[in-house]
Amino acid sequence: MKTLSVVLLFILSLVTLFAAARADALSQPSIQPRMARPVPLAEGEGDKKDDKKDDEEDEEEYRGLSQRASLELVDPRGLEDLLRLRVAAHRAF
């Protein structure tokens, strides 16, 4: 019985190892033939001063946002996901 438990644990650890390796391999970015190639953005010397002013204005604008509005900017479906998680948590307990 002890040997069977050790063999089962070993097999489960191998399955976990291969699943992690596969997930890691699938998460690596690759360029597919049909995808457009990335193009670097051109930076000009005059744009840096204007960008700094724009960044300050954007920062002031974002400070006035509520948590829900900022979540919608970052992840449009994030609020729905958050509500689903809350409902699932209430059902679990």
Side-chain angles (χ1 to χ4, degrees):
M1 190 68 176
K2 194 177 200 181
T3 306
L4 181 63
S5 299
V6 170
V7 169
L8 184 61
L9 185 63
F10 179 72
I11 290 172
L12 286 175
S13 66
L14 285 178
V15 168
T16 304
L17 175 71
F18 291 132
R22 183 171 184 247
D24 187 46
L26 291 175
S27 69
Q28 298 296 325
S30 62
I31 297 176
Q32 301 296 329
R34 295 183 189 169
M35 293 179 68
R37 301 241 182 242
V39 179
L41 297 175
E43 288 189 30
E45 291 297 323
D47 293 340
K48 291 182 181 179
K49 291 180 182 178
D50 292 337
D51 286 342
K52 192 172 186 178
K53 289 179 185 176
D54 290 340
D55 290 342
E56 290 174 0
E57 291 173 2
D58 291 341
E59 186 177 328
E60 290 175 10
E61 183 179 321
Y62 291 141
R63 282 186 185 165
L65 291 176
S66 67
Q67 288 182 350
R68 286 184 179 203
S70 59
L71 180 62
E72 287 295 320
L73 282 175
V74 174
D75 185 11
R77 295 192 57 198
L79 189 58
E80 292 176 19
D81 296 339
L82 185 62
L83 290 174
R84 287 184 191 145
L85 284 173
R86 285 184 181 171
V87 168
H90 285 288
R91 287 183 184 168
F93 293 108

